[in-house]
Amino acid sequence: MLDKQQIQKMLESKLMQLLPQQKIKPEIDVPLHTLGVDSMRLVELFIFIETEFGIDLMKAGIEMKDIQTIKSISEYIALKRESS
Amino acid sequence: MRIPCSKSKRYLRGDDWLVHALHYNTLKATGLGNSSMVVLEMEGVFELEDFKKTIRQVTEVIPFFTGKVRRDWTLAPFWASNRKKSVNVSVILKTIEDDVKQEAVLSILEEWANKPFESDLDYLCFRILQVGLNRCYLAMQFDHRLFDAYGAESFLSLLEKVFSKQIKPDQVCKEIRLTEPAHLDHWRENFLCGKAVIQCRYKLLEKPNLFLTTPFKKQYQDHISVFLNDEETLQFQNQVQNHAGYLMTLPYGLYVAAMVFRYLAKSVNASEEDFLASCSVDQRYLSPNQPAIFFNYLSFMFFKISQADLDDRSGIINIFKQQFYENTKEKYPEKLSKVMLLMRIMPKKILGNMMSTWMHVFFGSFNFAFLHKCNIKEGFFCGRRLINVFHYPRIPVQTGAGIYFNKFGKRLNMSITLHHGMIDCNQKQELITVARNACLGISC
């Protein structure tokens, strides 16, 4: 079972792939919009999460605080996986 | 099977070829090619001579401005540059008094956006509107065979870098992608993508869709600009957050566009059929190694909109979000790009004629785009402080309307393009109110 840190690393590398201008590892507690994430990239990230972790964030009834940073998304995924 | 091709040529992608066919088509139907315009609003008096010098320096070293399309032995179309020919980019200045209203300025800009290029081999033209001593507008009209909207902004940004001596003119070519592979491989995959795209289109066309096309095939297109100030843009963002969710600007923007199109449909007494919206998607992030300023990196997503659902804002936004997710998950824009690669085999006249029959199906009831981040940085352009950047896009003759958003700094702009004569002046004012209210969440 993946822990929070491992989930975080996977999300970081996916974000670097989605944001070509992001040359260094993105900070985990910075809001995604300040990193340059837009609607397209966010949905791409959601699809990655659904594929890798089986959680559909478009349907999960998430709040803004759950998806605003890499850290909060990792925590949310870890929590969801624990509870299922 | 991979066919060996030149590595030094700039081959056209499928979307480029589609744009060429569209150019042929538009030229035949209206006498005006497929060009759009981007406008920079600035403070002060524009320094024409310095700007002309920068244009000359940049266009002389970039090989694309004197080119035209050819096919090589593989039949793949490529951009053949003619280095011997000198580049002719016109820069025209118009001066008006300081006390004119904004409507008068916008009307001049609209007229410029509707002007044809002098020759079919001209791809770029600049016009400057000097309003008294305090304000000026730089309008860059560009042919879509050479730039898409995002590329046009990037080109202006490149001009600024040369003007402000951040890069030397002889280094300009390092900033742009000069070659593109022929993409003559992955045939089976491309054909399978074609199958998937056709199946998806049939699904979207099961129920009839509204296409506002026939009576409006005219050269002149009306452009309506809706400018939101900093506070209003913040209010728009709050609406996005509250009704669509964090960063879900695209689905909310599509909701606003659908409201605008519904008003148009009602204005021309159209039926209550569903709308089919095509949403332009930038494909640059798929190959990010070199900045792509020239040519097109475009694909589309499609959204089905039931007019009856538009009264329930939260409901329709959720439907858009779901369709957005499905389009992205099924990699619909990428698949469409691959199908378009196959279409390059068709001569542009044949593709153009085919498109004139089914283009309304391709582009939908209306075309929509949301340029999230302006490529021109806030601050100064050619020594003048930038106030705003906005667009005057043209739409294909068979499409009912084009509804586009772009953001510059903290300001959101909305451009609505219509065929001339579709609505009168009073209706245009009402349309602006509809658009503004939908952006700001004000119920009518």
Side-chain angles (χ1 to χ4, degrees):
Chain A
M1 182 113 169
L2 293 167
D3 64 22
K4 209 170 71 182
Q5 255 70 34
Q6 287 166 313
I7 296 170
Q8 229 161 261
K9 276 190 181 158
M10 286 171 77
L11 293 181
E12 278 168 2
S13 61
K14 182 65 191 174
L15 262 187
M16 285 187 75
Q17 191 192 326
L18 289 173
L19 301 168
Q21 74 277 20
Q22 188 73 39
K23 300 276 189 270
I24 50 164
K25 244 192 330 182
E27 286 181 45
I28 56 161
D29 44 11
V30 167
L32 295 181
H33 66 271
T34 59
L35 296 172
V37 176
D38 58 15
S39 310
M40 278 298 295
R41 311 296 167 263
L42 188 69
V43 169
E44 294 267 13
L45 189 67
F46 282 3
I47 289 163
F48 172 76
I49 291 166
E50 191 191 343
T51 314
E52 293 295 323
F53 309 110
I55 300 166
D56 182 352
L57 290 181
M58 290 293 264
K59 285 182 182 165
I62 40 163
E63 288 179 34
M64 184 180 152
K65 64 175 175 54
D66 298 324
I67 52 164
Q68 216 179 359
T69 63
I70 297 175
K71 193 179 169 190
S72 63
I73 301 174
S74 315
E75 281 168 0
Y76 184 82
I77 294 169
L79 199 74
K80 274 274 175 188
R81 283 166 68 91
E82 268 174 32
S83 61
S84 58
Chain B
M1 184 182 65
R2 192 186 180 95
I3 299 170
C5 289
S6 165
K7 286 181 180 165
S8 59
K9 282 180 182 168
R10 204 297 171 187
Y11 286 99
L12 300 194
R13 291 155 40 98
D15 45 351
D16 288 319
W17 195 239
L18 188 89
V19 165
H20 273 262
L22 200 57
H23 174 82
Y24 165 79
N25 216 16
T26 319
L27 202 62
K28 199 173 133 193
T30 67
L32 187 71
N34 184 28
S35 62
S36 291
M37 197 168 85
V38 53
V39 179
L40 273 58
E41 183 183 2
M42 292 169 280
E43 283 179 353
V45 178
F46 197 77
E47 293 291 340
L48 197 60
E49 290 312 312
D50 292 348
F51 180 67
K52 277 183 175 173
K53 189 181 155 199
T54 309
I55 296 280
R56 219 169 23 243
Q57 286 173 329
V58 172
T59 54
E60 269 172 10
V61 292
I62 293 174
F64 300 132
F65 290 103
T66 52
K68 62 178 182 182
V69 72
R70 289 233 176 101
R71 285 189 188 266
D72 75 2
W73 69 274
T74 61
L75 297 181
F78 70 99
W79 194 257
S81 300
N82 181 0
R83 292 247 186 201
K84 286 177 189 163
K85 202 182 160 205
S86 61
V87 185
N88 175 32
V89 177
S90 64
V91 183
I92 300 156
L93 174 72
K94 184 183 172 79
T95 310
I96 56 171
E97 293 300 314
D98 205 2
D99 55 357
V100 293
K101 285 184 178 172
Q102 195 195 29
E103 286 78 24
V105 169
L106 294 178
S107 161
I108 292 169
L109 293 173
E110 181 184 85
E111 200 182 301
W112 286 353
N114 279 290
K115 276 192 187 293
F117 283 109
E118 280 178 23
S119 142
D120 195 39
L121 295 177
D122 286 349
Y123 305 103
L124 192 64
C125 167
F126 289 92
R127 294 185 183 90
I128 295 132
L129 181 63
Q130 185 64 53
V131 186
L133 297 173
N134 299 322
R135 233 174 353 138
C136 56
Y137 295 83
L138 172 75
M140 182 177 100
Q141 192 181 12
F142 56 94
D143 192 307
H144 279 292
R145 287 175 295 175
L146 216 52
F147 298 107
D148 56 21
Y150 194 83
E153 285 184 357
S154 305
F155 179 68
L156 284 166
S157 179
L158 181 68
L159 286 180
E160 166 56 20
K161 281 184 190 167
V162 174
F163 182 90
S164 58
K165 299 190 171 43
Q166 288 174 55
I167 55 169
K168 290 178 184 165
D170 57 4
Q171 291 173 330
V172 161
C173 284
K174 286 180 188 164
E175 298 281 313
I176 59 177
R177 188 188 296 182
L178 292 169
T179 59
E180 177 75 28
H183 300 287
L184 295 175
D185 48 12
H186 303 293
W187 297 98
R188 189 169 180 274
E189 188 189 332
N190 293 352
F191 277 108
L192 288 174
C193 285
K195 200 177 154 190
V197 166
I198 289 168
Q199 279 170 351
C200 178
R201 298 315 309 275
Y202 271 121
K203 216 170 122 187
L204 287 168
L205 295 168
E206 268 171 6
K207 279 190 191 172
N209 299 286
L210 177 66
F211 299 117
L212 299 178
T213 55
T214 28
F216 308 110
K217 287 177 187 170
K218 289 179 181 173
Q219 176 179 320
Y220 203 90
Q221 296 188 345
D222 295 341
H223 294 273
I224 299 167
S225 300
V226 182
F227 303 113
L228 300 189
N229 61 27
D230 292 11
E231 266 177 41
E232 288 169 330
T233 304
L234 199 63
Q235 201 176 329
F236 172 84
Q237 280 162 347
N238 287 336
Q239 291 296 317
V240 171
Q241 207 141 293
N242 295 339
H243 297 280
Y246 179 53
L247 284 175
M248 284 292 152
T249 324
L250 191 142
Y252 194 88
L254 182 58
Y255 159 73
V256 176
M259 293 299 279
V260 166
F261 193 73
R262 182 168 71 165
Y263 176 85
L264 284 174
K266 279 185 180 167
S267 305
V268 295
N269 296 319
S271 65
E272 293 193 358
E273 286 169 353
D274 289 352
F275 302 153
L276 182 64
S278 61
C279 170
S280 305
V281 180
D282 185 53
Q283 296 280 284
R284 280 174 178 78
Y285 77 100
L286 295 172
S287 49
N289 297 333
Q290 270 182 296
I293 296 178
F294 289 88
F295 304 97
N296 294 271
Y297 293 86
L298 186 72
S299 192
F300 300 94
M301 281 186 189
F302 290 89
F303 292 86
K304 186 90 174 167
I305 306 162
S306 162
Q307 285 202 56
D309 291 338
L310 280 172
D311 292 322
D312 172 14
R313 180 167 54 168
S314 303
I316 192 76
I317 289 170
N318 274 330
I319 293 170
F320 291 158
K321 280 170 72 176
Q322 208 50 50
Q323 291 188 41
F324 181 24
Y325 194 75
E326 280 161 17
N327 266 293
T328 315
K329 193 175 175 184
E330 292 299 321
K331 296 191 181 301
Y332 192 84
E334 286 97 313
K335 283 179 183 167
L336 192 59
S337 287
K338 286 176 181 170
V339 180
M340 289 194 284
L341 284 172
L342 296 174
M343 285 155 71
R344 292 180 301 171
I345 194 66
M346 276 192 256
K348 65 182 171 194
K349 288 182 185 174
I350 294 177
L351 182 59
N353 287 336
M354 256 178 73
M355 283 168 76
S356 61
T357 315
W358 52 259
M359 194 155 60
H360 58 289
V361 178
F362 189 89
F363 283 102
S365 317
F366 66 91
N367 181 237
F368 162 79
F370 204 114
L371 292 179
H372 280 267
K373 200 180 168 192
C374 185
N375 253 344
I376 303 162
K377 281 186 185 157
E378 283 178 84
F380 290 83
F381 185 86
C382 292
R384 298 286 153 258
R385 201 179 79 79
L386 265 170
I387 301 169
N388 202 358
V389 176
F390 50 98
H391 289 257
Y392 280 76
R394 279 188 78 77
I395 49 169
V397 275
Q398 285 84 356
T399 307
I403 300 155
Y404 309 99
F405 290 87
N406 83 299
K407 202 168 169 229
F408 176 71
K410 291 175 180 170
R411 300 179 62 171
L412 185 73
N413 306 310
M414 186 179 182
S415 309
I416 305 167
T417 307
L418 312 167
H419 296 286
H420 183 61
M422 203 180 215
I423 54 174
D424 62 30
C425 287
N426 291 336
Q427 287 172 319
K428 278 182 194 168
Q429 286 309 314
E430 281 177 25
L431 187 69
I432 291 173
T433 309
V434 168
R436 194 174 275 280
N437 286 351
C439 282
L440 304 178
I442 300 166
S443 49
C444 303

